[in-house]
Amino acid sequence: MKFRSIKGTHDILPGEVHRWQFAEEAVRSAMHSFNYLEIRTPAFEETALFSRSIGELTDIVGKEMYTFADRSGTSLTLKPEMTASVIRAYIQNNLGEQQPLVKVYYIAPMFRQERPQAGRLRQFHQFGAEAIGSAGPAVDAEIIALSARVYESLGLRNFAVRINSVGCRECRPAYRKLLTGYLRERRDQLSEESLRRLEQNPLRILDSKDEGDRRATKDAPLMIEHLGPECSGHFEGLKSMLSAAGVTYEIDGRIVRGLDYYTKTAFEITSSDLGSQDALAGGGRYDLLVKDLGGKDTPAVGFAAGMERLLMAMEKQPHDANEPPHPTVFIASADEKARELVASLVLKLRSKGLATESDLLGRSLKSQLREANRQNSDRLIVIGSEEIEKNRVTVRGLLSKDEFSIPLDRVADELPSRLKEK
Ligand code: AMP
């Protein structure tokens, strides 16, 4: 029987994992410079946590969650996004009591049973951040600047930050009524999907990709034109803070985000290098969620970004991230007698932190040298009876072509510092 990975899931193979690590390092470094600390939560949660927070009417909860009953009959779900889990952890561990503004980030796998297509996976990875505890637009601006910083720090140029405000419980109901009225008059032009959304989630129709929907909503009223005074003031504050922070942005009144819990700020970062699934990241403010999930009334804002999309965008632009790790030193055995000595020397060098490799397959000297080259080792040492007898080895540069010699019994002590000098 042959096994294959599940549709929509991928192996990240040894030959490519360095690219992930490089991108993850850039994420961690941006998060660190903005003073966000990492949080790690379990891969699965009670199903109700997600259905309650993300909303029963969203695609994620309606059709994409990996939900299963455990042996006790409890309904569990593999996390389709991180915000709900972070807020659950925030409430459960009283994080808000320890400090007034909690700033956390994550890099983790997410699971959604999407229709497999380019750029849409069933297990994918997100990095993101949440700032819990402040209502003012300064934190929204920080979150947007932070997400843009990651792409900037990796040298990506073709990305755009688009912002919107989706209002709040005060001003959204009246706008929603207005929009529903407008859309009802154009029922016959709407796609089936949008007709289904019309009564329950009409705002989502505004970001539909369907041609007919686009035509029907061309002149539709937008939330941003109907914000109440508080939301409007917040949005103005956000814009001026983004400008002050040097973040280039566009205003896009059609950004609604898929999830129910957003209030005020909603934003997206898209890349023109990605084709039809062009979203690199999305986020916004969710002032109602902490209370909805049983915590104190606490405002919050955050973003989530796709790792796979980031890596795809990085592929489109030349940069020096792509050199895979390789051994610093390869020690070859010229004859059988040398093998034991080589093995113990390799261990000594490794314990000093030097990436060291030798042959474990009993290969001939010639094919050991070929292997050292194939692995891109920086240096090569060959040890045989002659080297043992004279107590002297030559350390040859494979790429640099420089060489020097040192006593065999001093290699473990001297080589690490000699190579550091180079
Ligand atoms: P969302 O949580 O849906 O707002 O997604 C945030 C980001 O995660 C998106 O902008 C994408 O970059 C990425 N993303 C979402 N869903 C998928 C998926 N099924 N496959 C790959 N990346 C995804």
Side-chain angles (χ1 to χ4, degrees):
M1 185 172 184
K2 271 197 187 146
F3 294 104
R4 300 191 62 83
S5 61
I6 306 297
K7 216 187 217 178
T9 70
H10 281 310
D11 300 310
I12 301 167
L13 297 172
E16 58 186 330
V17 79
H18 63 280
R19 299 184 59 239
W20 282 76
Q21 290 164 342
F22 183 85
E24 286 161 8
E25 262 325 297
V27 170
R28 289 184 194 285
S29 148
M31 297 294 179
H32 179 67
S33 64
F34 278 66
N35 197 27
Y36 283 66
L37 294 182
E38 186 175 1
I39 184 166
R40 300 185 188 191
T41 67
F44 52 88
E45 302 268 1
E46 254 179 82
T47 301
L49 173 68
F50 300 116
S51 42
R52 169 105 215 206
S53 62
I54 300 172
E56 297 285 354
L57 301 173
T58 58
D59 286 351
I60 294 184
V61 173
K63 48 191 187 200
E64 292 171 0
M65 294 205 302
Y66 278 104
T67 297
F68 56 96
D70 74 0
R71 281 172 202 236
S72 68
T74 310
S75 179
L76 303 176
T77 292
L78 298 181
K79 62 185 172 199
E81 57 106 42
M82 193 66 177
T83 305
S85 300
V86 170
I87 298 303
R88 197 254 324 122
Y90 170 89
I91 298 168
Q92 182 178 339
N93 298 287
N94 298 318
L95 299 186
E97 272 158 40
Q98 294 154 30
Q99 59 201 94
L101 180 61
V102 172
K103 306 207 298 185
V104 290
Y105 81 90
Y106 56 86
I107 305 178
M110 304 295 153
F111 308 86
R112 295 182 197 171
Q113 196 158 353
E114 306 233 33
R115 203 161 47 81
Q117 48 180 307
R120 287 218 160 264
L121 300 167
R122 291 182 166 179
Q123 174 172 343
F124 58 101
H125 299 78
Q126 284 186 336
F127 64 91
E130 318 286 353
I132 310 157
S134 168
V139 203
D140 308 48
E142 175 170 289
I143 281 283
I144 294 173
L146 167 56
S147 51
R149 170 66 61 82
V150 172
Y151 302 111
E152 270 162 21
S153 73
L154 285 165
L156 301 196
R157 261 168 268 113
N158 303 329
F159 69 88
V161 177
R162 295 181 298 130
I163 63 169
N164 189 22
S165 176
V166 294
C168 65
R169 267 189 194 163
E170 302 295 316
C171 56
R172 195 153 55 202
Y175 162 71
R176 200 182 138 127
K177 230 183 191 164
L178 187 74
L179 177 66
T180 312
Y182 174 95
L183 292 169
R184 276 200 199 118
E185 282 169 22
R186 291 159 181 81
R187 278 194 103 91
D188 51 334
Q189 299 174 44
L190 294 179
S191 67
E192 234 170 81
E193 180 83 46
S194 291
L195 282 175
R196 228 172 304 130
R197 285 184 171 144
L198 182 55
E199 303 304 327
Q200 290 168 326
N201 204 354
L203 270 73
R204 282 295 313 276
I205 299 177
L206 292 176
D207 78 346
S208 162
K209 294 227 157 94
D210 178 87
E211 275 300 312
D213 289 342
R214 288 201 164 226
R215 241 172 295 143
T217 59
K218 197 163 75 63
D219 300 314
L222 298 175
M223 182 71 239
I224 200 164
E225 299 151 357
H226 298 271
L227 294 175
E230 198 200 313
C231 292
S232 166
H234 190 274
F235 195 55
E236 290 306 314
L238 170 64
K239 287 192 287 185
S240 67
M241 280 172 198
L242 283 178
S243 303
V247 177
T248 313
Y249 63 89
E250 297 158 28
I251 295 169
D252 181 345
R254 282 170 187 269
I255 293 177
V256 292
R257 312 283 304 129
L259 317 185
D260 276 1
Y261 54 60
Y262 285 105
T263 49
K264 295 183 178 146
T265 309
F267 76 98
E268 269 181 13
I269 300 186
T270 50
S271 164
S272 55
D273 286 332
L274 286 186
S276 70
Q277 300 295 329
D278 63 353
L280 282 171
R285 178 163 280 285
Y286 48 93
D287 288 347
L288 311 170
L289 185 61
V290 182
K291 189 157 180 234
D292 270 4
L293 292 179
K296 292 196 187 120
D297 199 356
T298 313
V301 55
F303 81 94
M307 277 301 286
E308 283 83 357
R309 304 265 174 100
L310 167 60
L311 288 162
M312 277 161 70
M314 280 167 67
E315 252 169 42
K316 303 277 167 151
Q317 280 185 16
H319 51 75
D320 50 20
N322 291 340
E323 199 190 324
H326 55 268
T328 310
V329 183
F330 194 102
I331 309 185
S333 319
D335 48 51
E336 282 314 303
K337 269 188 272 152
R339 281 193 184 267
E340 225 167 84
L341 193 146
V342 166
S344 86
L345 187 54
V346 165
L347 282 179
K348 282 186 200 146
L349 288 173
R350 285 174 175 169
S351 75
K352 304 240 158 126
L354 213 60
T356 312
E357 186 57 299
S358 65
D359 172 54
L360 296 179
L361 299 175
R363 282 175 281 197
S364 69
L365 179 60
K366 199 168 149 204
S367 65
Q368 289 179 60
L369 301 188
R370 210 178 304 131
E371 183 61 18
N373 276 306
R374 195 189 65 79
Q375 293 200 21
N376 266 335
S377 313
D378 293 331
R379 320 249 156 202
L380 172 71
I381 300 176
V382 179
I383 303 180
S385 351
E386 199 186 319
E387 284 78 11
I388 296 173
E389 208 175 288
K390 295 191 177 146
N391 188 33
R392 193 128 208 119
V393 296
T394 304
V395 182
R396 260 200 288 146
L398 288 181
L399 300 172
S400 57
K401 300 292 171 218
D402 65 340
E403 61 177 58
F404 55 91
S405 85
I406 48 177
L408 174 56
D409 60 4
R410 302 290 307 154
V411 172
D413 289 321
E414 282 179 23
L415 189 61
S417 53
R418 285 288 292 264
L419 291 184
K420 230 180 255 160
E421 287 163 17
K422 294 262 161 197

